[in-house]
């Protein structure tokens, strides 16, 4: 898929970053955009991903929920198996 | 496209990577410094310290479980998602870079990617959770191991969310908290898809800037 993009258009660039971070733009779609500055894009995605994750953290609301004991043991046994 | 850029972007994608690329990413990105004093849990996992796995589950198990419960429809799904997230954490712990994010943010980032990936694959809807819904609400204080870090990060995020306009906040919540696509948000809010994209773009930029300001303030104090 080839998307029209003017790499000098900041809004378009930021749209792509947002779309990628929020899961609306796939890697394949992004890779098809030849005029995109991929290094800058990767840097911006990384920073935005962290910001989105901090917002996602508020979903927990610091609920204090505990992992069920059986699931905890299962995860630890998987970790011990390498 | 350069190989390095492909590797970096692939490492940030929400879908699994090919094993060969995964190995390359592990070597190239998110470098860690295990020689720093007081190595974190993630640094110790990366160094294969056996006791670190248990510590990690003790510290972040409640958080991951809580996020998984809110992003899945039933208990079984939440259990599967939680296992996948911890497996991901074992494999990607070496990508955490303490200069770029806190440990809890990195754990949340991996959880978010995995949960969105599962959610989009299942193409199912989740119930709106009111937890964290009010940006001005007091956050509860708990005694969990990571509560202080979670509280710090959540408070920062909530304050930044509170600075957004009402519509921007609604769009970003539907997107990040519920994992809805542009088109679903457009339908839900009866808003043109272009407007949804604009709100998302502006909101993410404003949130990033706000959080970076917080970081600078903390760093300066």
């Amino acid at each position: 898929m080839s998307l029209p993009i003017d790499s000098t258009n900041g809004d378009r660039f930021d749209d792509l970053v947002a779309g990628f971070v929020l899961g609306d733009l796939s890697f394949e779609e992004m890779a098809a955009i030849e005029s995109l500055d991929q290094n800058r894009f990767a840097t911006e995605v990384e920073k935005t991903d962290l910001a989105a994750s901090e917002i996602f953290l508020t979903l927990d609301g610091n609920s204090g929920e505990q992992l069920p004991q059986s699931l905890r043991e299962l995860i630890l046994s998987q970790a011990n198996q390498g | 496209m350069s190989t390095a850029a492909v590797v970096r972007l692939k490492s940030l994608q929400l879908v699994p990577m090919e094993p060969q690329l995964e190995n390359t990413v592990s070597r190239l990105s998110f470098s860690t410094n295990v020689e720093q004093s007081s190595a974190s849990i993630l640094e110790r996992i990366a160094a294969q310290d056996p006791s670190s796995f248990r510590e990690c589950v003790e510290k972040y198990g409640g958080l991951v479980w809580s996020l998984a419960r809110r992003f899945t429809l039933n208990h079984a799904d939440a259990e599967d998602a939680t296992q996948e997230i911890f497996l991901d954490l074992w494999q990607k712990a070496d990508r955490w870079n303490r200069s770029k994010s806190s440990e809890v943010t990195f754990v949340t980032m991996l959880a978010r990617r995995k949960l969105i990936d599962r959610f989009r694959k299942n193409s199912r809807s989740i119930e709106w959770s009111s937890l964290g819904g009010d940006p001005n609400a007091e956050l509860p204080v708990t005694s969990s191991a990571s509560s202080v870090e979670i509280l710090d990060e959540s408070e920062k995020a909530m304050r930044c969310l509170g600075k957004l306009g009402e519509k921007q906040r609604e769009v970003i919540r539907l997107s990040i908290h519920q994992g809805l696509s542009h088109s679903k948000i457009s339908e839900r809010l009866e808003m043109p898809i272009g407007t949804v994209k604009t709100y998302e773009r502006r909101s993410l930029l404003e949130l990033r800037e706000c959080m970076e300001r917080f970081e600078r303030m903390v760093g300066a104090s």
Side-chain angles (χ1 to χ4, degrees):
Chain A
M1 180 179 176
S2 181
L3 299 179
I5 177 168
D6 173 0
S7 59
T8 62
N9 181 329
D11 283 355
R12 266 291 180 56
F13 181 87
D14 293 334
D15 267 345
L16 292 170
V17 171
F20 193 73
V21 167
L22 299 175
D24 284 300
L25 177 70
S26 70
F27 175 77
E28 289 72 22
E29 287 168 324
M30 187 284 308
I33 305 167
E34 292 181 0
S35 60
L36 189 65
D37 177 346
Q38 285 91 5
N39 282 320
R40 181 179 159 229
F41 186 73
T43 300
E44 294 303 309
V45 164
E46 191 175 343
K47 288 179 184 174
T48 307
D49 205 5
L50 288 172
S53 297
E54 295 201 14
I55 298 300
F56 190 66
L57 183 61
T58 63
L59 191 61
D60 168 66
N62 203 24
S63 64
E65 281 191 64
Q66 299 294 312
L67 192 63
Q69 185 67 19
S70 57
L71 181 57
R72 178 179 168 279
E73 295 308 321
L74 181 61
I75 290 169
L76 285 173
S77 72
Q78 286 171 339
N80 290 333
Q81 287 165 15
Chain B
M1 187 189 314
S2 72
T3 305
V6 170
V7 165
R8 287 184 69 196
L9 289 168
K10 201 72 172 171
S11 76
L12 295 164
Q13 177 63 311
L14 302 172
V15 296
M17 287 185 284
E18 301 85 350
Q20 192 178 2
L21 185 56
E22 183 92 15
N23 291 334
T24 311
V25 169
S26 295
R27 289 198 305 274
L28 291 179
S29 62
F30 295 104
S31 62
T32 59
N33 184 359
V34 291
E35 293 173 0
Q36 278 184 285
S37 60
S38 64
S40 73
I41 292 178
L42 293 180
E43 286 165 336
R44 286 168 44 224
I45 288 173
Q48 302 287 308
D49 173 354
S51 67
S52 60
F53 296 107
R54 183 171 292 275
E55 253 182 83
C56 184
V57 172
E58 299 293 346
K59 186 169 184 179
Y60 296 114
L63 169 67
V64 171
W65 174 245
S66 164
L67 293 172
R69 290 255 292 155
R70 281 158 181 73
F71 227 76
T72 52
L73 275 183
N74 56 50
H75 195 88
D77 265 357
E79 286 195 346
D80 287 349
T82 301
Q83 286 180 66
E84 286 182 13
I85 291 165
F86 274 103
L87 181 63
D88 221 23
L89 204 49
W90 307 150
Q91 293 170 340
K92 295 174 181 168
D94 65 333
R95 297 186 198 169
W96 177 63
N97 183 332
R98 64 168 74 216
S99 71
K100 290 183 178 174
S101 74
S102 67
E103 200 173 61
V104 70
T105 301
F106 183 82
V107 172
T108 306
M109 184 172 73
L110 291 188
R112 188 181 80 87
R113 289 181 191 166
K114 184 63 72 182
L115 290 168
I116 289 178
D117 185 32
R118 286 177 60 92
F119 175 73
R120 295 278 169 96
K121 276 181 184 166
N122 293 338
S123 297
R124 290 190 294 198
S125 178
I126 58 170
E127 292 299 316
W128 170 258
S129 166
S130 62
L131 271 177
D134 180 357
N136 300 312
E138 291 281 326
L139 290 167
V141 177
T142 74
S143 58
S144 67
S146 55
S147 64
V148 174
E149 290 162 72
I150 293 172
L151 199 62
D152 283 349
E153 299 294 338
S154 288
E155 189 178 353
K156 180 174 66 177
M158 294 285 262
R159 284 187 183 180
C160 291
L161 262 181
K163 291 180 188 298
L164 296 180
E166 191 179 338
K167 284 185 178 175
Q168 280 181 279
R169 197 160 57 231
E170 183 69 2
V171 166
I172 214 73
R173 280 188 183 153
L174 289 173
S175 178
I176 295 178
H177 283 174
Q178 295 201 39
L180 298 187
S181 64
H182 291 144
S183 54
K184 292 280 182 195
I185 295 172
S186 171
E187 283 172 25
R188 176 81 66 94
L189 300 181
E190 296 179 339
M191 187 183 278
I193 199 161
T195 308
V196 171
K197 287 183 183 179
T198 301
Y199 278 136
E200 284 182 347
R201 179 187 72 236
R202 287 182 185 163
S203 302
L204 284 174
L205 284 173
E206 287 178 30
L207 288 168
R208 249 182 66 181
E209 286 168 9
C210 176
M211 288 175 190
E212 285 168 3
R213 275 201 303 277
F214 265 97
E215 292 298 328
R216 284 197 295 274
M217 280 167 57
V218 170
S221 61

